[in-house]
Amino acid sequence: SQKIEQNSEALNIQEGKTATLTCNYTNYSPAYLQWYRQDPGRGPVFLLLIRENEKEKRKERLKVTFDTTLKQSLFHITASQPADSATYLCALESAGNMLTFGGGTRLMVKP
Amino acid sequence: DADVTQTPRNRITKTGKRIMLECSQTKGHDRMYWYRQDPGLGLRLIYYSFDVKDINKGEISDGYSVSRQAQAKFSLSLESAIPNQTALYFCATSGSGQASYEQYFGPGTRLTVT
């Protein structure tokens, strides 16, 4: 069956360090992969989209990689700040623009 | 004003009651979605609509129904609520016509069924 795995344990890092979050998937051939940020009690907010033929995408302090051979995406936040503390969701997009979401990883950036 | 609004924001209801959650959007998008979120399970798709006359079941549609009253409005109903429908419900919208679009989410409705 199709499965998307994100580390369910919270990731705790020190301010200024690079946070790296992982999204692994099985039995999918996604054309696109998206990352969202979700703050407590709020709806997810879109961050980045990467296509299957792109290896890497950047936006300000954010970087996403997409390895279709390993079936993995990495999401990096450089120079992390306490304001980056949130839950980050990966979502795989398959035919018909339908998204399937992972369970999310909570990031805590300590000052 | 928010692009995607949901009402109510919080609701407590009893088992067996009918309840409707409403979603409105001002983004002019054709596509609308209803998800539920449970701790550790991520977002799961309940129903989606690509236009007013196109409504489709998602991964977990049993026990739910929807109505697309207009391009801007998409309602989710629980005909006879049960406790395991206690969850956070999100409405989302997206554009169409290109290969891929991000989804825009509402603030969510926290539903508790006792």
Side-chain angles (χ1 to χ4, degrees), chain B residues 2-100:
Chain B
D3 294 319
V4 183
T5 57
Q6 292 184 235
T7 55
R9 294 295 314 280
N10 290 281
R11 181 72 182 268
I12 300 173
T13 192
K14 294 184 183 298
T15 298
K17 294 292 187 181
R18 183 178 188 276
I19 183 170
M20 178 182 287
L21 309 182
E22 298 187 345
C23 176
S24 294
Q25 54 112 346
T26 58
K27 297 194 72 67
H29 287 164
D30 289 325
R31 299 182 176 188
M32 298 187 73
Y33 312 81
W34 275 105
Y35 294 90
R36 67 175 278 175
Q37 187 174 39
D38 299 276
L41 292 180
L43 291 155
R44 292 182 292 166
L45 184 64
I46 306 172
Y47 270 94
Y48 61 100
S49 171
F50 281 0
D51 66 40
V52 175
K53 296 182 180 180
D54 179 22
I55 294 178
N56 304 279
K57 293 181 178 180
E59 177 188 355
I60 53 164
S61 59
D62 287 349
Y64 302 95
S65 63
V66 291
S67 173
R68 185 82 184 263
Q69 301 94 326
Q71 185 203 37
K73 296 183 182 296
F74 193 34
S75 300
L76 176 72
S77 293
L78 286 67
E79 297 301 326
S80 179
I82 56 177
N84 75 2
Q85 290 177 315
T86 293
L88 195 52
Y89 289 84
F90 288 103
C91 173
T93 73
S94 70
S96 60
Q98 291 190 9
S100 178

Side-chain angles (χ1 to χ4, degrees), chain A residues 48-62:
Chain A
L48 279 170
L49 177 153
I50 187 166
R51 294 174 172 77
E52 62 178 338
N53 60 354
E54 296 177 317
K55 297 294 184 183
E56 182 179 297
K57 198 78 167 282
R58 291 176 184 263
K59 178 182 177 182
E60 298 172 351
R61 293 185 296 111
L62 309 180

Side-chain angles (χ1 to χ4, degrees), chain A:
Chain A
S1 63
Q2 297 174 327
K3 187 182 288 188
I4 303 170
E5 292 184 342
Q6 294 185 257
N7 193 341
S8 59
E9 293 183 8
L11 176 64
N12 294 292
I13 65 168
Q14 206 66 35
E15 182 176 8
K17 301 294 186 182
T18 296
T20 298
L21 285 69
T22 304
C23 176
N24 295 302
Y25 60 93
T26 56
N27 297 323
Y28 269 108
S29 295
Y32 305 88
L33 188 146
Q34 302 184 16
W35 282 88
Y36 288 77
R37 168 183 173 141
Q38 186 175 22
D39 292 288
R42 307 189 76 167
V45 175
F46 171 78
L47 295 175
L48 279 170
L49 177 153
I50 187 166
R51 294 174 172 77
E52 62 178 338
N53 60 354
E54 296 177 317
K55 297 294 184 183
E56 182 179 297
K57 198 78 167 282
R58 291 176 184 263
K59 178 182 177 182
E60 298 172 351
R61 293 185 296 111
L62 309 180
K63 184 179 83 172
V64 172
T65 63
F66 191 13
D67 189 327
T68 55
T69 301
L70 291 178
K71 295 187 181 299
Q72 180 181 80
S73 176
L74 299 178
F75 177 81
H76 306 272
I77 305 176
T78 59
S80 60
Q81 305 166 0
D84 294 326
S85 298
T87 296
Y88 292 86
L89 308 171
C90 73
L92 272 61
E93 184 172 346
S94 52
N97 298 137
M98 305 311 301
L99 291 181
T100 302
F101 285 83
T105 298
R106 186 179 176 200
L107 172 66
M108 298 286 292
V109 181
K110 298 181 179 180

